[in-house]
């Protein structure tokens, strides 16, 4: 089963609309016609319009960093699936560890979002991953299993093909510490086994599992060479066109092997 690599940039709370247009132009100039792998940028809500305009005519997809599960109504400060789709979003990042930590998002709430995103035709990028304390306590697989099963509760085998899982060990996010390719592969294989137990082997083989956590040009080739690593969710290195495009090029090389 050959899964298409996906390199997705998570910009977090960085870049104004004007800055987003510049960054997207830099990415599109160098990688806008890349067709061997999938590429996506996920800017903050306020930069979606500018990013969407700058992406026009390119093959680079747009994603949002979050959404609220309800369609509309009295949810001050929140953004619905239709609102992000209006800008052409194809992906939405859900359950990022920063949202789990700072905004106390639970697996049940993230699951509501995953189902709402799928119902609207968006592809959720569901983030899972353990903290350093959990890794040291030997509970990595339990944590990742609970988050994966919780996030995908009630999702059908047909729908799961649209889901992307991002394994992001919390201790590796923004710290410069990367999981070794072997460490990451071990967890990715376990995630695929969990998917297989829910959706069957066929379903599990169709789901892309990205690695996230200080992925950068220096370590990308080795990570992307692993059997169950189908791309990257990129934070810091997605904020500069050159480093992001270098990661896209690493995925193109990996796809050619
Ligand atoms: C992220 O937050 O999704 C991430 C992977 O960040 P970084 O690449 O900066 O570790």
């Amino acid at each position: 089963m050959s899964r298409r690599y996906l390199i997705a940039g998570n910009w977090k709370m960085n870049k104004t609309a004007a800055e987003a247009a510049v960054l997207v132009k830099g990415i599109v100039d160098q990688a806008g016609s890349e067709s061997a792998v999938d590429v996506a940028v996920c800017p903050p809500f306020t930069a979606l319009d500018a990013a969407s305009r700058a992406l026009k005519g390119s093959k680079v997809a747009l994603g949002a960093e979050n959404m609220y599960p309800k369609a509309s109504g009295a949810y001050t400060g929140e953004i619905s699936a239709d609102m992000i789709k209006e800008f052409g979003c194809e992906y939405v990042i859900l359950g990022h560890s920063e949202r789990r930590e700072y905004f106390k998002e639970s697996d049940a709430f993230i699951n509501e979002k995953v189902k709402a995103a799928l119902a609207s035709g968006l592809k959720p990028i569901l983030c899972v991953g353990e903290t350093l304390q959990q890794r040291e306590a030997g509970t990595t697989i339990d944590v990742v299993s609970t988050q994966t099963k919780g996030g995908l509760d009630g999702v059908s085998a047909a729908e799961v093909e649209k889901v992307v899982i991002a394994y992001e060990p919390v201790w590796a996010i923004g710290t410069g510490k990367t999981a070794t390719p072997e460490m990451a592969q071990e967890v990715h294989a376990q995630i695929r086994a969990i998917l297989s137990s829910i959706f069957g082997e066929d379903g599990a083989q169709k789901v892309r599992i990205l690695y996230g956590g200080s992925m950068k040009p220096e370590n990308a080739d080795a990570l992307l060479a692993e059997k169950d690593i189908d791309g990257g969710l990129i934070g810091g290195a997605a904020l500069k066109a050159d480093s992001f495009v270098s990661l896209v090029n690493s995925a193109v090389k990996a796809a050619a092997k």
Side-chain angles (χ1 to χ4, degrees):
M1 159 68 50
S2 68
R3 296 174 292 270
R4 278 176 72 79
Y5 281 90
L6 169 63
I7 298 293
N10 170 18
W11 294 9
K12 311 192 187 198
M13 198 172 74
N14 294 295
K15 305 292 176 189
T16 61
E19 290 165 347
V22 174
L23 176 53
V24 169
K25 185 178 181 311
I27 293 167
V28 166
D29 283 350
Q30 298 180 68
S33 51
E34 186 51 68
S35 57
V37 300
D38 291 338
V39 182
V41 292
C42 305
F45 295 131
T46 49
L48 284 175
D49 188 28
S52 159
R53 287 168 200 271
L55 285 173
K56 241 181 209 113
S58 83
K59 291 193 157 64
V60 178
L62 188 63
E65 297 178 18
N66 185 30
M67 58 169 254
Y68 196 69
K70 304 287 186 208
S72 63
Y75 304 102
T76 303
E78 294 297 329
I79 305 273
S80 73
D82 278 353
M83 290 171 183
I84 59 177
K85 273 173 59 190
E86 200 175 14
F87 296 108
C89 283
E90 179 178 337
Y91 296 95
V92 58
I93 300 171
L94 298 174
H96 192 279
S97 62
E98 287 147 17
R99 297 215 58 90
R100 292 178 190 264
E101 184 185 352
Y102 304 134
F103 304 98
K104 307 290 170 238
E105 292 196 3
S106 66
D107 286 324
F109 185 48
I110 294 161
N111 176 242
E112 271 189 68
K113 298 188 193 198
V114 168
K115 288 190 286 197
L118 286 168
S120 301
L122 288 161
K123 294 175 183 154
I125 301 178
L126 170 64
C127 302
V128 300
E130 81 287 2
T131 61
L132 184 58
Q133 213 181 11
Q134 290 164 332
R135 175 160 281 266
E136 285 172 351
T139 58
T140 297
I141 300 307
D142 289 345
V143 168
V144 163
S145 171
T146 302
Q147 292 175 341
T148 305
K149 289 180 178 161
L152 297 178
D153 189 34
V155 169
S156 71
E159 287 174 319
V160 83
E161 292 178 25
K162 303 262 177 340
V163 175
V164 177
I165 307 280
Y167 168 56
E168 300 207 309
V170 179
W171 49 269
I173 296 180
T175 58
K177 287 186 201 147
T178 322
T180 64
E182 297 73 25
M183 279 161 89
Q185 167 58 29
E186 190 187 343
V187 181
H188 281 229
Q190 294 282 352
I191 293 172
R192 203 165 309 280
I194 293 160
L195 294 172
S196 175
S197 73
I198 311 171
F199 302 103
E201 190 50 24
D202 262 19
Q205 288 298 331
K206 287 178 184 152
V207 178
R208 290 181 289 188
I209 308 175
L210 313 184
Y211 170 79
S214 298
M215 194 190 260
K216 47 190 179 245
E218 302 83 70
N219 58 28
D221 288 348
L223 285 160
L224 295 172
E226 294 292 340
K227 174 169 157 280
D228 288 292
I229 301 186
D230 306 314
L233 182 58
I234 320 297
L239 296 176
K240 291 215 166 78
D242 286 354
S243 49
F244 187 67
V245 169
S246 162
L247 297 176
V248 172
N249 291 336
S250 288
V252 172
K253 260 193 287 166
K257 281 186 184 151

